């Protein structure tokens, strides 16, 4: 046996026992005639003691050990004279009698400690070393516990875990596909699945009734903190259900996961529900962070036409938020806010502010354009208290301006410490629009996907007013992050054909792309619907992380590259010849 115990399990009750441990050298300290080594494995750290007076050659051997050497030691568990309350094993140490070097190590490119000196790029290149750090390892352990809890819960509700193919056909809707050339079918391509959407619908047609899968999905999208080119979904589908059945079940599952994995009680009350239109009107986002207020107040009737400020008088939307206790912001702080909203990422033309004094008076950056009475009305409309700071944006496009105001709201929430990662606020956003207009394609696109069912009451609008059709779709939002989404699906072939028509598909193209699904609907498809959770996003929220990258074992960087494997990379020309592929020159 390489070890009788791990480096995290020995305690005072084991004093006097002879044990064998194996692991990595975390650090070494020489004090007089004694050498102390911290030995680390996945389970913890145990202090080893080598005594020059007891065994000088063994102590000399220990002095030659470097960081990250893999060693095996045998010795006796003893009570520590100077205990370490920060370690679970801090009451004991091992008096070593035998030492075997299992593998030497070069000096690591960064210190393998909780607070490392390695930058992101370096740690990504040596990810297998980064994973030795306790915090990163803890994220993967949390992910493991989360997956176990998901499987146990869904199994208890009658779900079957069923695998679906990774090599599928390319679909024209949604994000860009990753495509895979076929050697046996030259000139033709598989795609990696963006989700198992049509396949899980076919499982419902097959009578599986309740399906789930913890599954890899692939989307060739621009990356950000909560997006990777490959990510993991908890994909679920149910037959003979309505929207209310799905929301109730997955609300129960969410509370179970918080309680069992995070140790956080969400309470018994149902989650808040907002319609998509209400969420956009009140918060400028379909994933609002509800840990704090600062709800938008529309100010058109208060500020348009009541003064001579041309920006407001020509705007299509004027909205404001009230930041509590911020009236003392300095000129520099206000300039920072102005530069933030005017940055290319936000795109606002400027920022108007108003301070509410302790006496209730209002001083604004547009005082010369408005009477004191109008500014008093502004304060009343904003329900601002003494010491508050009113921040106002306006613009020619209401939706765009609300989104800009949303970014400002989130920034102020962060500055005021209102976005505590140890607090959680969840809600459902429901009643999404069925379609959204694409300027690039010059046509309506499916807001979710083309298999989402419209609200039954809105089906007649498909012929007369498709832009205002609502979908039986829903998203779950946690702390401003979309953690899951789904819909009731279309199970009628005629309705599915109608949706394809609205989306601009010819009947021939619809049959070419989705004929297998429409054909399946002819053989008794049940009413069905489902939801997919973003596993990476859930785990990152539970762990309090800023990026999903830190809870994925081997993630890609912001350019979509795996710097550890140096992928993507060029392939041998012989492989291209075998696939009958030619490459164009790349600038």
């Amino acid at each position: 046996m390489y070890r009788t115990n791990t480096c995290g399990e020995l305690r005072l009750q084991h004093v006097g026992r002879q044990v064998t441990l194996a692991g990595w050298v975390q650090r070494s300290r020489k004090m007089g005639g004694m050498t102390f080594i911290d030995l680390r494995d996945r389970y913890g750290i145990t202090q080893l003691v080598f005594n020059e007076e007891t065994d000088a050659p063994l102590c000399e051997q220990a002095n030659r050990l470097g960081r990250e050497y893999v060693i095996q030691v045998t010795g006796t568990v003893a009570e520590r004279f100077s205990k370490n309350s920060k370690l679970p094993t801090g009451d004991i140490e091992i008096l070593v009698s035998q030492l075997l070097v299992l593998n030497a190590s070069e000096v690591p490119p960064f210190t393998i400690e909780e607070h490392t000196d390695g930058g992101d790029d370096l740690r990504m290149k040596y990810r297998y070393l980064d994973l030795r750090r306790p915090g990163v390892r803890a994220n993967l352990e949390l992910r493991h516990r989360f997956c176990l809890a998901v499987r146990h819960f869904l199994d208890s509700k009658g779900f079957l875990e069923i695998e679906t193919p990774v090599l599928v056909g390319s679909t024209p809707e949604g994000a860009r596909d990753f495509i895979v050339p076929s050697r046996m079918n030259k000139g033709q391509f598989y795609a990696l699945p963006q989700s198992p959407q049509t396949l899980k619908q076919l499982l419902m047609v097959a009578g599986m009734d309740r399906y789930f899968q913890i599954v890899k999905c692939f989307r060739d999208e621009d990356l950000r903190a909560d997006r990777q080119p490959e990510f993991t979904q908890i994909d679920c589908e149910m037959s003979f259900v309505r929207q209310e059945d799905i929301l109730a079940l997955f609300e129960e599952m969410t509370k179970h996961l918080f309680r069992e994995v995070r140790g956080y009680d969400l309470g018994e009350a149902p989650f808040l529900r907002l319609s998509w239109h209400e969420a956009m009107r009140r918060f400028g986002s379909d994933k609002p962070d509800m840990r704090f207020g600062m709800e938008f107040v529309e100010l058109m009737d208060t500020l348009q036409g009541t003064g001579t400020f041309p920006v407001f008088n020509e705007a299509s939307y004027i909205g404001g938020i009230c930041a509590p206790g911020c009236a003392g912001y300095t000129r520099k702080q206000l300039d920072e806010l102005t530069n933030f909203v005017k940055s290319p990422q936000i795109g606002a033309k400027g920022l108007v502010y108003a301070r509410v004094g302790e006496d209730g008076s209002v001083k604004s950056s547009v005082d010369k354009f408005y009477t004191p009475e109008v500014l008093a009305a502004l304060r009343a409309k904003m329900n601002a208290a003494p010491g508050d700071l009113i921040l106002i944006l306006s613009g020619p496009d209401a939706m765009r301006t609300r989104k800009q105001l949303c970014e400002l709201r989130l920034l102020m929430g962060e500055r005021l410490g209102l976005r505590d990662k140890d607090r959680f606020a969840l809600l459902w956003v429901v009643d999404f629009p069925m379609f959204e207009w694409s300027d690039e394609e010059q046509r309506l696109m499916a807001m979710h996907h083309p298999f989402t069912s419209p609200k039954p009451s809105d089906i007649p609008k498909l012929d007369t007013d498709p832009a205002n059709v609502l979908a039986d779709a829903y998203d779950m939002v946690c702390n401003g992050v979309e953690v899951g989404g789904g819909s009731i699906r279309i199970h009628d072939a005629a309705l599915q054909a109608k949706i394809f028509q609205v989306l601009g598909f010819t009947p021939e193209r619809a049959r070419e792309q989705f004929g297998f699904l429409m054909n399946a609907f002819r053989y008794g498809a049940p009413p069905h619907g489902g939801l997919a959770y973003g596993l990476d996003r859930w785990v990152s929220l539970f762990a309090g992380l800023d990026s999903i990258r830190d809870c994925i074992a081997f993630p890609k960087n912001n350019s979509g590259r795996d710097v550890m494997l140096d992928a993507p990379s060029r392939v041998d020309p012989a492989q291209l010849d075998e696939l009958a592929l030619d490459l164009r020159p790349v600038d």
Side-chain angles (χ1 to χ4, degrees):
M1 295 177 64
Y2 277 105
R3 61 188 180 189
T4 59
N5 300 88
T6 69
C7 294
E9 67 177 296
L10 296 173
R11 302 290 188 272
L12 282 174
Q13 64 263 33
H14 301 114
V15 167
R17 179 182 297 182
Q18 186 165 344
V19 297
T20 299
L21 305 182
W24 288 262
V25 174
Q26 176 74 18
R27 65 178 62 86
S28 177
R29 306 177 302 282
K30 185 171 176 59
M31 301 174 64
M34 309 281 284
T35 297
F36 299 91
I37 287 177
D38 289 343
L39 188 67
R40 182 195 75 241
D41 64 9
R42 171 188 145 192
Y43 307 95
I45 291 176
T46 296
Q47 178 172 281
L48 311 179
V49 181
F50 298 83
N51 192 329
E52 191 175 84
E53 291 183 4
T54 304
D55 192 333
L58 184 65
C59 194
E60 178 57 30
Q61 186 184 4
N63 289 336
R64 292 194 296 269
L65 297 175
R67 280 191 174 223
E68 301 308 311
Y69 272 48
V70 185
I71 64 173
Q72 179 192 52
V73 297
T74 297
T76 305
V77 182
E79 184 175 359
R80 283 177 67 160
F81 175 75
S82 178
K83 294 180 171 60
N84 184 348
S85 60
K86 296 180 180 179
L87 289 178
T89 59
D91 291 339
I92 60 94
E93 59 192 8
I94 308 299
L95 306 179
V96 179
S97 57
Q98 295 179 36
L99 166 64
L100 176 63
V101 176
L102 300 174
N103 213 329
S105 172
E106 295 182 9
V107 176
F110 54 87
T111 55
I112 300 174
E113 294 179 350
E114 189 62 48
H115 302 290
T116 182
D117 56 357
D120 282 353
D121 291 341
L122 189 62
R123 290 187 292 107
M124 291 277 282
K125 181 175 178 61
Y126 296 94
R127 182 63 169 176
Y128 47 86
L129 298 181
D130 195 37
L131 290 172
R132 294 181 187 175
R133 296 196 300 125
V136 184
R137 184 180 64 247
N139 294 338
L140 296 187
E141 291 170 347
L142 174 64
R143 186 185 182 106
H144 165 73
R145 295 196 304 275
F146 192 96
C147 290
L148 282 181
V150 166
R151 285 188 163 98
H152 289 157
F153 179 87
L154 292 175
D155 178 66
S156 74
K157 300 296 182 180
F159 283 76
L160 298 177
E161 184 170 9
I162 304 173
E163 289 184 295
T164 53
V166 173
L167 296 175
V168 297
S170 181
T171 57
E173 295 287 317
R176 295 183 185 89
D177 285 326
F178 284 101
I179 59 172
V180 181
S182 170
R183 178 185 60 81
M184 292 183 288
N185 302 276
K186 289 182 172 58
Q188 296 182 314
F189 297 83
Y190 299 106
L192 301 181
Q194 296 185 27
S195 80
Q197 179 60 50
T198 55
L199 295 162
K200 65 185 178 184
Q201 290 189 253
L202 291 176
L203 287 171
M204 296 302 101
V205 176
M208 293 299 104
D209 192 69
R210 291 189 171 200
Y211 139 95
F212 87 98
Q213 184 180 190
I214 298 178
V215 59
K216 279 285 189 185
C217 301
F218 307 86
R219 295 177 188 173
D220 190 5
E221 298 179 296
D222 294 335
L223 305 186
R224 59 191 188 202
D226 63 352
R227 182 182 288 166
Q228 284 270 298
E230 54 179 310
F231 58 96
T232 306
Q233 280 186 353
I234 305 166
D235 198 51
C236 307
E237 197 79 2
M238 306 163 67
S239 292
F240 304 111
V241 290
R242 293 186 172 88
Q243 176 174 300
E244 193 60 40
D245 302 312
I246 295 172
L247 301 193
L249 178 70
F250 288 101
E251 195 166 305
E252 180 187 353
M253 175 173 162
T254 301
K255 292 178 179 179
H256 171 80
L257 293 172
F258 267 94
R259 185 170 55 251
E260 295 297 317
V261 181
R262 187 59 170 73
Y264 189 96
D265 188 359
L266 291 173
E268 297 302 319
F271 292 172
L272 173 69
R273 295 188 191 182
L274 293 178
S275 71
W276 181 86
H277 286 91
E278 185 180 6
M280 296 303 296
R281 178 180 60 82
R282 292 169 58 184
F283 301 101
S285 171
D286 57 6
K287 49 185 178 183
D289 189 339
M290 303 300 288
R291 285 173 292 181
F292 64 103
M294 287 195 223
E295 188 171 327
F296 297 178
V297 178
E298 189 167 321
L299 298 168
M300 292 288 284
D301 58 346
T302 306
L303 295 176
Q304 190 166 66
T306 58
T308 58
F309 187 46
V311 173
F312 285 170
N313 289 340
E314 296 167 8
S316 297
Y317 176 82
I318 310 170
I321 58 173
C322 189
C326 294
Y329 260 33
T330 65
R331 178 78 254 174
K332 180 180 178 182
Q333 289 173 305
L334 291 167
D335 286 345
E336 287 174 352
L337 295 181
T338 301
N339 291 335
F340 172 78
V341 300
K342 292 173 70 175
S343 67
Q345 295 85 352
I346 309 302
K349 296 297 184 183
L351 175 68
V352 171
Y353 66 87
R355 307 175 192 263
V356 181
E358 293 302 323
D359 61 354
S361 61
V362 180
K363 297 293 182 182
S364 82
S365 56
V366 289
D367 275 356
K368 66 181 181 180
F369 299 104
Y370 292 97
T371 65
E373 290 75 18
V374 171
L375 295 178
L378 169 65
R379 177 199 165 184
K381 186 69 177 284
M382 295 296 304
N383 196 27
D388 288 353
L389 178 67
I390 300 169
L391 301 170
I392 305 170
L393 292 180
S394 63
D397 183 294
M399 184 66 75
R400 178 177 171 82
T401 307
R402 286 190 178 104
K403 290 180 178 179
Q404 294 164 346
L405 195 57
C406 170
E407 296 301 323
L408 181 61
R409 172 182 180 264
L410 294 176
L411 175 67
M412 294 307 297
E414 194 74 46
R415 288 192 169 192
L416 291 170
L418 302 176
R419 304 182 72 188
D420 182 357
K421 291 181 180 179
D422 290 323
R423 289 179 53 242
F424 298 94
L426 288 101
L427 75 150
W428 291 104
V429 177
V430 298
D431 297 344
F432 280 80
M434 185 78 178
F435 309 106
E436 57 186 344
W437 179 257
S438 169
D439 289 329
E440 182 180 347
E441 297 267 345
Q442 285 296 298
R443 66 179 179 91
L444 291 173
M445 304 280 283
M447 180 169 273
H448 279 75
H449 54 67
F451 317 108
T452 297
S453 176
K455 293 278 186 187
S457 58
D458 281 3
I459 289 176
K461 292 183 184 178
L462 291 170
D463 290 315
T464 60
D465 190 15
N468 287 311
V469 172
L470 295 181
D472 252 339
Y474 36 83
D475 280 355
M476 182 182 284
V477 178
C478 177
N479 291 2
V481 176
E482 178 199 329
V483 290
S487 66
I488 297 298
R489 323 302 186 189
I490 298 168
H491 66 280
D492 176 73
L495 179 57
Q496 185 66 74
K498 182 65 179 179
I499 296 299
F500 285 144
Q501 179 187 341
V502 173
L503 292 171
F505 284 64
T506 63
E508 293 75 22
R509 187 183 174 204
R511 279 195 300 272
E512 178 185 349
Q513 296 286 343
F514 302 109
F516 65 94
L517 182 65
M518 298 173 73
N519 191 52
F521 285 170
R522 296 166 51 203
Y523 295 95
H528 59 282
L531 174 144
Y533 275 143
L535 173 62
D536 311 297
R537 292 182 182 181
W538 267 129
V539 176
S540 66
L541 282 167
F542 275 28
L545 304 173
D546 294 321
S547 169
I548 65 171
R549 217 169 59 181
D550 295 323
C551 65
I552 297 172
F554 299 105
K556 307 293 187 291
N557 68 10
N558 289 337
S559 300
R561 293 196 62 81
D562 186 324
V563 294
M564 183 184 70
L565 300 177
D566 193 24
S569 60
R570 299 186 185 277
V571 298
D572 192 286
Q575 291 176 272
L576 297 177
D577 290 341
E578 196 171 32
L579 295 166
L581 292 178
D582 289 321
L583 296 183
R584 293 187 303 182
V586 178
D587 295 333

